[in-house]
Amino acid sequence: MQNPSTPAYRIPEPVARVLGRLPRYPGSVLFVTGLNLVLARHLHPDTLHRLEGRSLRIHVADAGLRFDYTWRDGAFRAARHDVAEPDLTFRADAWDFHCLLQRREDPDTLFFSRRLVIEGDTELGLMVKNTLDSIDMAVFHPKAILRDLLAGQRHRLRFR
């Protein structure tokens, strides 16, 4: 019988061992590319100001993946947090991150069931969590992403 606090799916251990050996930085570059394409334009300027220079990490525990990044000079940037711990880390299994993005699970529910761990600066963690809660998840739908990218391309072409 499955414990209700246990995710419905976990990355298989052999796959996690392989993923955990991948170098972090290239993965972080890909991760921030997605953040910049999809998320950055939907964040309030006050939020971005508060993120300036702060080090952040997404840790996908069951996959052994870590994505280190920061907001600097108007964009998310890949970072290397090898020397010091980041200001803020969100840690969960892949399934739980998926459920958060799909709004199938509430972050507070995952947090209190210990499936989402937030480490570091508490105030920064609450600000990031509340900001993500306030974003309409429809912006992550592939059609919306493609529409936004095409609109951005037309805008750049028009003003060159």
Side-chain angles (χ1 to χ4, degrees):
M1 184 164 123
Q2 188 174 10
N3 181 335
S5 67
T6 303
Y9 176 80
R10 286 187 54 85
I11 301 293
E13 184 62 34
V15 175
R17 278 196 304 271
V18 171
L19 292 174
R21 290 187 178 145
L22 294 173
R24 287 188 200 170
Y25 190 74
S28 295
V29 170
L30 291 172
F31 182 75
V32 299
T33 299
L35 289 177
N36 286 320
L37 286 173
V38 178
L39 184 63
R41 75 183 89 223
H42 299 286
L43 298 176
H44 193 275
D46 289 342
T47 299
L48 298 174
H49 177 74
R50 292 174 65 190
L51 285 175
E52 185 70 34
R54 303 301 300 268
S55 57
L56 306 159
R57 173 178 287 157
I58 298 292
H59 180 181
V60 185
D62 63 336
L65 294 173
R66 291 184 175 110
F67 303 105
D68 294 339
Y69 61 104
T70 187
W71 176 265
R72 192 175 64 249
D73 300 327
F76 286 105
R77 313 268 181 200
R80 291 189 169 110
H81 303 320
D82 297 331
V83 177
E85 287 297 309
D87 296 320
L88 180 66
T89 298
F90 283 92
R91 184 178 70 235
D93 287 341
W95 179 256
D96 293 323
F97 280 123
H98 169 77
C99 289
L100 281 171
L101 286 174
Q102 296 293 316
R103 298 277 166 111
R104 292 181 186 166
E105 291 277 1
D106 177 75
D108 292 329
T109 300
L110 290 177
F111 178 79
F112 289 114
S113 66
R114 300 176 194 239
R115 290 169 46 199
L116 172 65
V117 177
I118 303 171
E119 299 171 313
D121 184 322
T122 305
E123 185 178 333
L124 180 62
L126 285 173
M127 188 266 304
V128 169
K129 182 192 88 62
N130 291 336
T131 298
L132 292 175
D133 279 347
S134 70
I135 293 174
D136 179 6
M137 287 295 124
V139 303
F140 295 110
H141 192 277
K143 286 182 183 178
I145 294 169
L146 185 58
R147 183 187 62 238
D148 288 350
L149 289 174
L150 290 174
Q153 286 288 44
R154 278 190 231 114
H155 179 75
R156 278 192 288 271
L157 290 172
R158 203 175 318 136
F159 292 103
R160 282 193 174 172

